[in-house]
C-alpha cells in the first residue's frame, strides 16, 4: 500500500497533525519508534499553555502560540482532555527585573495577547498569598493554562485512528529513499512504509531524519529539563502558574498546579551529550528546589513523590522550522518544536496542512469525520448512585486496582482496548493514572501486568515497563 501521507513521530505535534489530516479523504500513517505514543518530550514537560507574550514578535512561535491557545482549548474540549484556564504570573524581584516584566508586557501587546495586566507585588499576593515577599511586580496573563500533555497526545492520535489513521509502533526510521515520486521509509528491521508525502515531526531526531534526504540545514540542540512532582497535599499551594523572568536558557523554574491536583516544579535547562538523556542530577534537584523556593518559599519539598526529565528539541535560530524541503518535494519539516510547542500544537497542525495543500495535496473533507472522543475518566466523575448502576452493568469497574488514584479494573481494560491501546505498564499509567500516586505503582503494578497479559496475550515475562529492553520479569520460578 502507498499512503498519501506518512508522519514520522508520535508526539503531540505528530498526533495533532494526524488528527487534522484525518478530516480529509486521505490515507495517513504515523511512524513511531517507541512502543507507544507520547514517549519523548510529550510525556515529560510542564503541561503549560503559554499565553504568547514571550516569543519574539514576527516569528512562527509568536504567531502560532497566540493563535494556538484558543484552538488547543477547543480541541481539548472535543477530545475530553482535562485542562484548566488558570492563568500565569511572571514575577520580578527588584527594579531590574521589573523592567524585563514591562518589556514582556509590551511584547505580548505586539504579539496580540489579550487581557494581560501588570500588578504590584502586594496586588499579586492578594491573589496568591504564598508568593515571596521579595516579589515586586507581576505580569498576569489570564489566557494561560495547564493541560495534561500525554493525555492530549493519546487522545488526539486515538481520535485520528478512530477516523482511519494507521499507527506503526516500534518503527525506528533507518533510511528514506524517494523512488518514482514515492517515499520509501525503511525501519531498523527492514520493514518499508511507502507514502507520497512525508512529514518530519521526529522531535530530538528531526535533523537525523532530514539528513536521510540530504536536507539537514539545521542541528537539533537537545535540552533536558529536570522536574520535581509533589504530592496532592501541596497541590493547592498556588492556583496560577508562577514563572520567574525568563533568561536566554528558557522560561526558568516554575511552580504550578497540575490538572490532576499535584504541584509541579522545574524545569532546569542544560545541553545534553545524549538526545536520550533522562537522568536526574543532584545539581538539577538542588537548582529546582532553590529557585522554586525563591518564588514560593513555603513549598514543602519533603512531599516530592517523583522526579523526571524531559528533553526539548531546539535550534540556534530559536524558532520553529515548519516548511517544505527546498531539496526534496513533498518532504515537510516540522522541527525544533520546543516551548511553546504544546500550546501551539493545533495551530502547527493547521499551518502544516496549508503547506501540504500548497505542495499539491488534494483536501476533500470527509462527510462522517468525528473530532470528538468519549471521556476516558467518566466513571470517576459519576455520583455514587451512577457508579452503582454502571458497576451492575460492568462489574470490572467495581474492582479498584490503584488505591492511590482510585483507578478501577474496568478503566485499565478500556485503556488497553481503546485506540491507541496501552501495551506496557507505563502506557496504562499515562492513560489511567494507575501508578501515579504516592506509592508510584508499588501496589498496583502486578495486577496491571496481569490485565495486560490477559487482554493482549503477552506472557508475563515479555511485559515491559516502557517497551524495548525494560522487561519487568526475567522468568518463572
Amino acid at each position: 500500500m502507498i499512503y498519501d501521507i506518512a508522519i514520522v513521530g508520535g508526539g503531540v505535534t505528530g498526533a495533532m497533525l494526524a488528527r487534522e489530516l484525518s478530516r480529509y479523504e486521505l490515507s495517513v500513517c504515523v511512524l513511531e519508534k517507541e512502543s507507544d505514543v507520547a514517549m519523548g518530550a510529550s510525556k515529560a514537560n510542564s503541561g503549560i499553555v503559554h499565553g504568547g507574550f514571550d516569543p519574539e514578535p514576527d516569528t512562527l512561535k509568536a504567531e502560532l502560540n497566540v493563535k494556538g491557545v484558543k484552538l488547543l482549548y477547543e480541541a481539548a474540549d472535543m477530545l475530553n482532555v482535562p485542562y484548566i484556564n488558570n492563568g500565569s504570573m511572571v514575577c520580578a524581584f527588584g527594579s531590574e527585573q521589573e523592567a524585563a516584566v514591562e518589556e514582556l508586557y509590551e511584547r505580548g501587546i505586539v504579539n496580540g495577547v489579550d487581557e494581560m495586566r501588570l500588578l504590584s507585588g502586594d496586588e499579586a499576593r492578594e491573589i496568591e498569598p504564598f508568593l515571596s515577599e521579595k516579589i515586586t511586580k507581576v505580569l498576569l496573563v489570564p489566557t494561560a493554562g495547564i493541560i495534561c500533555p500525554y493525555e492530549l497526545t493519546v487522545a488526539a492520535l486515538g481520535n485520528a485512528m478512530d477516523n482511519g489513521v494507521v499507527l506503526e509502533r516500534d518503527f525506528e526510521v533507518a533510511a528514506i529513499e524517494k523512488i518514482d515520486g514515492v517515499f520509501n521509509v525503511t525501519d531498523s528491521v527492514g520493514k518499508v512504509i511507502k507514502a507520497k508525502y512525508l512529514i518530519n515531526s521526529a522531535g530530538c531526531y528531526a535533523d537525523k531524519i532530514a539528513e536521510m534526504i540530504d536536507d539537514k540545514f539545521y542541528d537539533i540542540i537537545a535540552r533536558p529539563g529536570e522536574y520535581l512532582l509533589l504530592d496532592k497535599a501541596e497541590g493547592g499551594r498556588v492556583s496560577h502558574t508562577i514563572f520567574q523572568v525568563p533568561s536566554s536558557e528558557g522560561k526558568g523554574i516554575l511552580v504550578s498546579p497540575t490538572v490532576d491536583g499535584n504541584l509541579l516544579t522545574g524545569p532546569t535547562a542544560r545541553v545534553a551529550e545524549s538526545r536520550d538523556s533522562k537522568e536526574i542530577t543532584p545539581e538539577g534537584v538542588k537548582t529546582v528546589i532553590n529557585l522554586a523556593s525563591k518564588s514560593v518559599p513555603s513549598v514543602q519539598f519533603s512531599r516530592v513523590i517523583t522526579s523526571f526529565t524531559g528533553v526539548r528539541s531546539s535550534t540556534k535560530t530559536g524558532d520553529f522550522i515548519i516548511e517544505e524541503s527546498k531539496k526534496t518535494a513533498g518532504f515537510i519539516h516540522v522541527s525544533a518544536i520546543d516551548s511553546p510547542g504544546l500550546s501551539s500544537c493545533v495551530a502547527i497542525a493547521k499551518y502544516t496542512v496549508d503547506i501540504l495543500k500548497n505542495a499539491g495535496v488534494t483536501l476533500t473533507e470527509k462527510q462522517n469525520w468525528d473530532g470528538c472522543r468519549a471521556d476516558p475518566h467518566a466513571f470517576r466523575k459519576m455520583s455514587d448512585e451512577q457508579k452503582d448502576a454502571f458497576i451492575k452493568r460492568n462489574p470490572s469497574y467495581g474492582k479498584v486496582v490503584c488505591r492511590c488514584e482510585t483507578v478501577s479494573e474496568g478503566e485499565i481494560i478500556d485503556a488497553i482496548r481503546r485506540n491507541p491501546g496501552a501495551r506496557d505498564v507505563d502506557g496504562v499509567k499515562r492513560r489511567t493514572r494507575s501508578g501515579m500516586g504516592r506509592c508510584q505503582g508499588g501496589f498496583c503494578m502486578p495486577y496491571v501486568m496481569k490485565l495486560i497479559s490477559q487482554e493482549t496475550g503477552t506472557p508475563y515475562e515479555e511485559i515491559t515497563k516502557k517497551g524495548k529492553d525494560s522487561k519487568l520479569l526475567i522468568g518463572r520460578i
Side-chain angles (χ1 to χ4, degrees):
M1 174 181 180
I2 300 175
Y3 290 97
D4 291 313
I5 299 168
I7 301 167
V8 180
V12 71
T13 305
M16 262 322 157
L17 270 165
R19 177 176 182 263
E20 193 64 29
L21 288 167
S22 75
R23 295 173 180 267
Y24 305 102
E25 297 290 351
L26 297 167
S27 56
V28 179
C29 181
V30 176
L31 310 176
E32 170 53 51
K33 74 183 181 75
E34 303 293 345
S35 63
D36 197 8
V37 301
M39 289 290 283
S42 299
K43 73 173 173 61
N45 66 52
S46 308
I48 306 303
V49 183
H50 293 286
F53 60 86
D54 185 50
E56 290 286 345
D58 300 319
T59 60
L60 267 180
K61 281 188 175 182
E63 175 188 346
L64 299 179
N65 186 173
V66 176
K67 285 181 180 177
V69 173
K70 182 181 178 183
L71 293 173
L72 178 55
Y73 290 151
E74 289 173 353
D77 282 332
M78 294 179 72
L79 295 169
N80 265 301
V81 174
Y83 72 91
I84 304 172
N85 179 198
N86 65 321
S88 65
M89 292 181 168
V90 184
C91 301
F93 296 80
S95 56
E96 185 176 336
Q97 290 194 354
E98 286 181 20
V101 164
E102 290 167 3
E103 183 180 331
L104 288 173
Y105 174 78
E106 295 299 330
R107 185 185 296 178
I109 296 294
V110 173
N111 288 347
V113 182
D114 296 327
E115 304 176 42
M116 296 183 301
R117 286 189 291 148
L118 290 170
L119 307 176
S120 68
D122 288 338
E123 288 172 328
R125 280 182 287 275
E126 288 180 11
I127 302 170
E128 292 286 0
F130 290 110
L131 286 182
S132 167
E133 291 292 330
K134 295 180 180 179
I135 291 171
T136 55
K137 198 162 199 171
V138 163
L139 171 60
L140 176 65
V141 187
T143 54
I146 51 179
I147 196 166
C148 182
Y150 44 85
E151 284 201 46
L152 179 66
T153 306
V154 169
L157 195 43
N159 183 238
M161 293 171 73
D162 292 343
N163 283 287
V165 170
V166 174
L167 171 63
E168 289 280 350
R169 313 189 204 209
D170 297 310
F171 192 103
E172 184 171 359
V173 177
I176 302 171
E177 289 183 286
K178 192 174 184 185
I179 303 171
D180 296 329
V182 174
F183 290 97
N184 288 250
V185 187
T186 306
D187 78 352
S188 54
V189 296
K191 184 174 181 177
V192 179
I193 296 293
K194 298 175 181 283
K196 298 172 187 174
Y197 292 83
L198 188 61
I199 300 174
N200 175 16
S201 179
C204 284
Y205 289 88
D207 56 345
K208 301 295 185 184
I209 299 297
E211 193 170 15
M212 293 179 189
I213 63 152
D214 194 29
D215 194 21
K216 182 185 173 185
F217 60 92
Y218 56 90
D219 289 302
I220 292 295
I221 302 169
R223 301 184 68 87
E226 293 152 284
Y227 294 87
L228 300 178
L229 183 71
L230 287 81
D231 186 76
K232 291 182 179 180
E234 286 295 297
R237 186 70 59 178
V238 293
S239 59
H240 292 71
T241 298
I242 309 302
F243 291 103
Q244 295 170 11
V245 172
S247 69
S248 59
E249 294 186 341
K251 296 180 175 65
I253 301 295
L254 59 82
V255 179
S256 178
T258 71
V259 290
D260 297 297
N262 298 86
L263 190 75
L264 183 66
T265 59
T268 56
R270 55 186 173 85
V271 177
E273 294 181 5
S274 166
R275 300 177 192 227
D276 294 314
S277 176
K278 302 285 172 45
E279 69 268 20
I280 302 293
T281 65
E283 298 78 16
V285 170
K286 184 177 180 181
T287 297
V288 171
I289 291 174
N290 288 343
L291 291 181
S293 298
K294 180 181 177 182
S295 298
V296 187
S298 61
V299 173
Q300 300 295 307
F301 281 96
S302 60
R303 290 172 170 166
V304 170
I305 59 172
T306 192
S307 56
F308 61 91
T309 295
V311 184
R312 296 151 286 188
S313 63
S314 58
T315 62
K316 289 181 180 179
T317 66
D319 202 4
F320 298 152
I321 298 171
I322 311 174
E323 60 185 63
E324 184 178 12
S325 169
K326 295 178 176 63
K327 291 189 174 182
T328 305
F331 185 95
I332 314 297
H333 298 280
V334 183
S335 308
I337 310 297
D338 57 354
S339 180
L342 176 64
S343 314
S344 310
C345 64
V346 184
I348 289 170
K350 291 181 180 293
Y351 186 89
T352 306
V353 168
D354 285 341
I355 291 175
L356 287 164
K357 182 179 179 181
N358 292 332
V361 175
T362 300
L363 300 176
T364 303
E365 292 198 18
K366 290 177 179 174
Q367 296 287 323
N368 60 343
W369 184 78
D370 184 358
C372 295
R373 181 173 163 96
D375 187 355
H377 305 307
F379 178 74
R380 70 184 62 171
K381 299 173 184 176
M382 295 177 185
S383 67
D384 287 346
E385 293 76 16
Q386 289 172 324
K387 286 179 180 177
D388 186 53
F390 193 84
I391 289 167
K392 287 176 180 176
R393 298 193 303 273
N394 305 274
S396 63
Y397 281 81
K399 185 182 294 184
V400 172
V401 174
C402 174
R403 295 179 181 179
C404 297
E405 296 289 328
T406 320
V407 181
S408 71
E409 179 181 293
E411 293 165 277
I412 294 171
I413 291 172
D414 180 65
I416 297 168
R417 293 178 179 176
R418 191 180 195 195
N419 283 334
R423 290 182 175 177
D424 50 46
V425 170
D426 279 4
V428 170
K429 180 179 179 179
R430 283 188 293 276
R431 288 159 176 78
T432 68
R433 294 193 57 79
S434 179
M436 285 198 177
R438 289 176 178 175
C439 85
Q440 288 291 291
F443 176 81
C444 62
M445 185 186 292
Y447 203 94
V448 169
M449 293 175 65
K450 175 184 175 182
L451 294 175
I452 292 172
S453 181
Q454 287 178 354
E455 288 294 314
T456 66
T458 306
Y460 273 83
E461 53 267 40
E462 295 297 321
I463 293 173
T464 64
K465 184 177 188 295
K466 54 183 178 180
K468 294 188 177 176
D469 300 322
S470 62
K471 291 180 181 178
L472 292 159
L473 302 174
I474 59 171
R476 293 180 178 271
I477 296 176

